[in-house]
Amino acid sequence: MKYIFGISALAIAAMQGAHAISKPTGKFSFQPSTITVGESSTLRWYVVNATSCKNQWGTEIGTSGSYTTTPSVGTTEYQFTCTGSGGRAAFKARRVVKPRPLPKASFAYHPRTAEVGTPITLKWSTEHATSCKNPWGTEVGTSGRYTFTSNRSGTVSYQFTCTGPGGNTKTTASYTLTPVSKPIISNLKYTPNTAYLGQRQTLKFSYSHASKCYAYNSEGDEIVYYEGAQKSGNYSWTSERRTNLVDNYELKVFCEGKGGTTQSVTNYSVSENPTVTSLRHAFKARALHNWVNNIHCNTPVTIDGRVHNVCDVKNMYNAWLGIDGLLDLYLASGDSSLAELALQISEKYRSTGQDKNADGYLDWFSTPLFYHNGNMYDHDHYEWRAGAGVARTIAVILDDPQLSSLHSRAKSLQVFAEQHIWRKWYAKYGQFSNLKVTHFIGRVGTIALFLNKHSSDPTLKNQYQSFIKNRGQVLKDSLEHITTNGANAYNIRCYAPAGGVAQDCASNSLPVGGTIDVSHAGDTVAFIVEAYLAGGFGVFDLQDMMRLSNTVTQLIISDLDQRFRSNVCSIDACSKNRGSDPYYRNIGAYQSQWAKLAQFDKTLLDIYLYWLSTQNINVTPRSAPEIFIDHSQSLPGGYSTPNILGNIALAVARTQ
């Protein structure tokens, strides 16, 4: 080991390492480092282990200090060098100087589009602006609002100039004024347009661009419907019950607004409530003398290549409706000629019967069923419907002492009906004991109901009453209680419950599943009503009448415009889903037997009376009665078309 002055070389090296000198350290920075032109920024620095510091231009600046400047726009990076015993170190500092921002300005008119005369408001706000001027050089401030009106139509644009430290900004705002709209009156009408005495009417219309709407009454006094700020709206007013006949009242409605005055016209009329007398006149105007001649035995039918003239039960099948109307109108008016005509039709039917197979029972041909299945005679339900008309004719005549001159003929007809209608199908064919089709039960039930009244045969009377009670209960079980929309109504199914489930009829022809049997509901309703009027037989009660009435008011008739033009349905969708088949589309609603229910429900009677009054049937002899059903839907012989007159007449008579 080498020693120097008594100290080893290793120790000397260690001492030298412990006292090594560091390079300069520290920081150069601008505060703040980002400014806007015109603002000041200060360079600050402090360095240790340095004996001198120079900027990038070589100027000595010392090892610490500060220097404030107000620089121009731009980004600059400065370099510094500091020197000390430990060596040299380089430093940097960066400064960003941004230009002054241009002014931002928002000028807008509210509303942008309006009618002439509408208040328009100009609103504006700015940023980085010290002043703003309009197109005419007037100072308007850097924010504000200004409201004005103008009577000139068209689009107007204005340019505004805003100035700030960063310069000038121009912005444009525009608005459009349209000519003032003339008031509009739309959908002005009375509903119903024609009322009958005691009914109310509702006046409705819509208006727009109006500040006043009015009319004048019959005394010339102004009636104001609306007055206020110009706007659009609706008006509705319902009259008191009409007490005066009005042939045609014209109402002129005026609406005023900034755009002028508009006029619109509507009218209404008030007709006399149809009476039994007017209904009778309208009924008899239907050329009823042809009804008897329609029952004949010269319908040409081709059988086995040869044409035969046959006694077609189809005509009497349709005549049932005519007979029922004749009898109801007789009961209402006391016009015995109507009962006489019903008797003549029934007798004519009897005279066309032929015992084709020598079994002691008369037979009738049926053209529809022959062409359907080729069977020539004994067409059950066709004969049953005819028999229903015959049986009711007998009962109504024998019930009334005022018709004593017709009693002997009616008694003879009773003998015919019991043998060739009841015994034929009850005894020979045994078809009455297990009927499930509801309108078949209705047809046979009507036969049993009216033959029972004057039968002298105890065995037959027992059969009649048993059928009414037993099959009547089966029929009632098929009345599906409908509560849709609170209807409390009945859906009459085509088939009585089989295994606890009621079935529909002709469903392929109907637009909505679960619909009432539109083709034959009248047969069913007629039996139920007449059975109830005869005491109900422990089956039918007043609740049944009201629910069936609701079937019309809540389900068949959907609204004012669609009255008697809707499907007969258990759901309200039917009025919007008419099928293509005209028979199934409308005839159920027109079937007059529904009108029998009007004698139990004043609301339903009002509906029928309104319908009849708007058809001019009460005007005699000024014009002929209107045809209520399209010719395409009138059944052969014309029996069904006027039938409703008789049913309604009886309802009027029984509710007065």
Side-chain angles (χ1 to χ4, degrees):
M1 176 68 67
K2 183 178 180 181
Y3 290 86
I4 302 175
F5 303 111
I7 302 174
S8 69
L10 182 59
I12 292 173
M15 292 172 61
Q16 291 176 341
H19 292 85
I21 299 175
S22 300
K23 284 185 176 183
T25 59
K27 183 177 182 182
F28 285 77
S29 63
F30 285 99
Q31 299 175 356
S33 61
T34 300
I35 61 174
T36 299
V37 65
E39 296 177 343
S40 298
S41 177
T42 301
L43 173 65
R44 300 180 188 277
W45 70 96
Y46 177 79
V47 181
V48 297
N49 301 324
T51 57
S52 69
C53 290
K54 296 179 180 180
N55 61 23
Q56 62 191 29
W57 298 286
T59 303
E60 177 66 46
I61 60 174
T63 59
S64 64
S66 64
Y67 177 68
T68 301
T69 58
T70 304
S72 58
V73 175
T75 299
T76 307
E77 186 175 83
Y78 295 89
Q79 298 182 359
F80 305 90
T81 303
C82 294
T83 305
S85 302
R88 179 183 296 177
F91 300 90
K92 294 180 180 180
R94 191 169 183 267
R95 180 183 62 206
V96 177
V97 181
K98 297 191 290 186
R100 293 185 180 92
L102 285 171
K104 292 182 180 180
S106 172
F107 283 77
Y109 289 99
H110 302 276
R112 289 283 302 276
T113 301
E115 287 185 346
V116 167
T118 302
I120 303 293
T121 298
L122 172 65
K123 298 179 181 180
W124 69 97
S125 61
T126 63
E127 294 181 21
H128 313 301
T130 56
S131 68
C132 292
K133 294 181 179 181
N134 63 23
W136 303 278
T138 303
E139 177 67 46
V140 297
T142 57
S143 65
R145 58 188 299 152
Y146 170 67
T147 301
F148 62 95
T149 59
S150 174
N151 293 322
R152 297 182 61 182
S153 61
T155 299
V156 178
S157 296
Y158 291 115
Q159 189 176 75
F160 301 86
T161 303
C162 291
T163 302
N168 297 330
T169 296
K170 296 183 183 295
T171 185
T172 300
S174 63
Y175 64 89
T176 300
L177 292 180
T178 59
V180 177
S181 298
K182 192 174 183 180
I184 297 174
I185 302 172
S186 59
N187 302 317
L188 174 64
K189 65 178 180 178
Y190 281 95
T191 303
N193 180 256
T194 299
Y196 62 85
L197 289 174
Q199 188 177 21
R200 293 183 172 91
Q201 290 173 302
T202 298
L203 171 68
K204 292 184 178 181
F205 65 89
S206 299
Y207 57 88
S208 57
H209 312 297
S211 56
K212 181 180 180 180
C213 291
Y214 57 93
Y216 296 97
N217 61 21
S218 56
E219 286 76 34
D221 299 324
E222 183 180 88
I223 301 172
V224 176
Y225 299 127
Y226 165 72
E227 186 170 21
Q230 181 159 306
K231 67 173 187 178
S232 301
N234 301 294
Y235 178 80
S236 178
W237 168 81
T238 300
S239 72
E240 296 296 325
R241 294 186 183 276
R242 298 299 192 187
T243 57
N244 297 312
L245 293 174
V246 177
D247 186 35
N248 186 44
Y249 179 82
E250 183 178 84
L251 178 72
K252 295 180 180 179
V253 173
F254 303 86
C255 282
E256 296 178 354
K258 297 174 183 177
T261 301
T262 298
Q263 172 185 314
S264 185
V265 178
T266 188
N267 58 71
Y268 72 85
S269 59
V270 180
S271 297
E272 184 179 5
N273 212 353
T275 63
V276 170
T277 299
S278 62
L279 291 166
R280 172 178 166 274
H281 284 310
F283 190 104
K284 298 190 78 170
R286 303 302 300 175
L288 307 184
H289 61 276
N290 293 325
W291 285 11
V292 176
N293 296 332
N294 285 334
I295 312 300
H296 52 71
C297 285
N298 56 357
T299 299
V301 176
T302 302
I303 302 174
D304 297 330
R306 297 180 60 188
V307 176
H308 298 262
N309 288 330
V310 300
C311 302
D312 193 353
V313 75
K314 174 189 68 177
N315 298 313
M316 187 64 184
Y317 174 93
N318 297 322
W320 164 79
L321 290 169
I323 290 175
D324 192 74
L326 286 167
L327 296 174
D328 273 0
L329 192 56
Y330 163 71
L331 293 173
S333 67
D335 184 347
S336 61
S337 67
L338 299 170
E340 166 71 30
L341 181 56
L343 182 60
Q344 290 179 22
I345 296 172
S346 298
E347 290 174 331
K348 187 65 176 293
Y349 172 67
R350 176 181 59 184
S351 70
T352 61
Q354 302 168 342
D355 187 357
K356 287 291 185 178
N357 51 12
D359 61 356
Y361 299 109
L362 296 179
D363 305 302
W364 290 265
F365 196 91
S366 169
T367 49
L369 294 181
F370 170 72
Y371 289 122
H372 175 68
N373 58 26
N375 293 328
M376 295 186 187
Y377 294 98
D378 296 336
H379 293 303
D380 44 32
H381 65 95
Y382 265 57
E383 295 181 27
W384 300 343
R385 198 186 216 201
V390 173
R392 189 171 186 226
T393 300
I394 295 167
V396 169
I397 292 175
L398 294 180
D399 281 346
D400 194 341
Q402 301 299 320
L403 297 176
S404 58
S405 62
L406 305 179
H407 282 189
S408 61
R409 292 163 59 191
K411 289 178 181 178
S412 173
L413 205 59
Q414 170 104 14
V415 174
F416 153 75
E418 291 193 321
Q419 173 66 12
H420 300 286
I421 297 174
W422 185 264
R423 286 192 180 95
K424 174 180 179 179
W425 294 103
Y426 185 92
K428 178 182 178 181
Y429 293 109
Q431 289 199 17
F432 291 170
S433 61
N434 196 37
L435 288 180
K436 291 186 178 297
V437 178
T438 53
H439 55 273
F440 289 177
I441 295 175
R443 291 171 187 175
V444 177
T446 301
I447 295 171
L449 183 67
F450 289 112
L451 291 183
N452 174 67
K453 298 190 71 173
H454 298 281
S455 177
S456 59
D457 188 322
T459 299
L460 292 181
K461 287 183 71 70
N462 180 66
Q463 293 174 4
Y464 299 148
Q465 294 174 21
S466 177
F467 183 92
I468 295 169
K469 293 176 183 179
N470 296 334
R471 289 295 100 185
Q473 187 61 54
V474 171
L475 172 57
K476 183 167 181 175
D477 291 341
S478 73
L479 302 178
E480 177 189 16
H481 186 202
I482 299 296
T483 58
T484 304
N485 298 327
N488 188 28
Y490 277 143
N491 175 18
I492 303 177
R493 296 300 185 104
C494 183
Y495 291 94
V501 179
Q503 302 176 47
D504 293 325
C505 179
S507 58
N508 291 334
S509 299
L510 299 174
V512 180
T515 55
I516 293 171
D517 171 26
V518 296
S519 174
H520 313 98
D523 303 81
T524 309
V525 170
F527 168 60
I528 294 173
V529 170
E530 297 298 342
Y532 169 73
L533 291 173
F537 291 84
V539 179
F540 302 107
D541 53 32
L542 183 59
Q543 177 177 256
D544 298 322
M545 302 304 106
M546 300 314 299
R547 286 181 175 176
L548 285 171
S549 177
N550 289 340
T551 302
V552 181
T553 58
Q554 302 297 321
L555 305 181
I556 295 176
I557 306 170
S558 57
D559 54 59
L560 186 63
D561 293 335
Q562 292 299 325
R563 282 178 176 172
F564 304 98
R565 291 179 177 85
S566 303
N567 287 294
V568 186
C569 297
S570 63
I571 57 177
D572 52 13
C574 296
S575 63
K576 303 178 180 64
N577 291 279
R578 299 185 193 89
S580 58
D581 182 346
Y583 185 76
Y584 283 101
R585 184 172 70 238
N586 286 330
I587 199 167
Y590 278 114
Q591 283 212 20
S592 53
Q593 304 312 307
W594 291 102
K596 288 181 178 289
L597 297 162
Q599 59 191 290
F600 310 109
D601 186 344
K602 182 61 166 57
T603 299
L604 180 58
L605 179 57
D606 283 347
I607 290 172
Y608 278 108
L609 289 176
Y610 161 67
W611 179 49
L612 294 179
S613 69
T614 60
Q615 297 289 334
N616 296 326
I617 63 92
N618 58 312
V619 180
T620 305
R622 194 164 18 147
S623 61
E626 295 287 329
I627 296 175
F628 304 137
I629 310 175
D630 290 343
H631 288 295
S632 61
Q633 297 174 37
S634 297
L635 297 177
Y639 303 103
S640 63
T641 307
N643 188 0
I644 194 171
L645 300 170
N647 287 275
I648 289 300
L650 184 57
V652 169
R654 287 178 172 173
T655 55
Q656 286 178 341

